[in-house]
Amino acid sequence: MQILLRRVCGRTNECGETPACKAARQLGDMEVEERLSAAQPELNPRAAGQCTQALLDKDFFLPCR
């Protein structure tokens, strides 16, 4: 998750207002919620897989520049 956030939001959140950054934050929030509500939080929640997929999406989750 941190890799995705750093890539699309920037190291110092300089791209924090972009749609990609907002979507990445939403995925991160979903991952945290799933881990907190899971019976076995050490297992990867569904949102974690979505974060991994988002790293591969170079059309929407553009690197911060």
Side-chain angles (χ1 to χ4, degrees), residues 10 22 26-27 36 38 41 45-46 57 59-60 62-65:
K22 290 176 183 179
Q26 185 176 15
L27 278 174
L36 290 174
R46 189 169 143 240
D57 182 349
D59 293 324
F60 180 75
L62 299 170
C64 178
R65 299 196 191 266

Side-chain angles (χ1 to χ4, degrees), residues 9-35:
C9 299
R11 291 195 184 274
T12 59
N13 202 35
E14 59 270 24
C15 297
E17 294 303 314
T18 64
C21 182
K22 290 176 183 179
R25 281 195 195 117
Q26 185 176 15
L27 278 174
D29 291 345
M30 288 170 46
E31 182 178 339
V32 169
E33 290 285 324
E34 287 177 14
R35 285 188 191 278

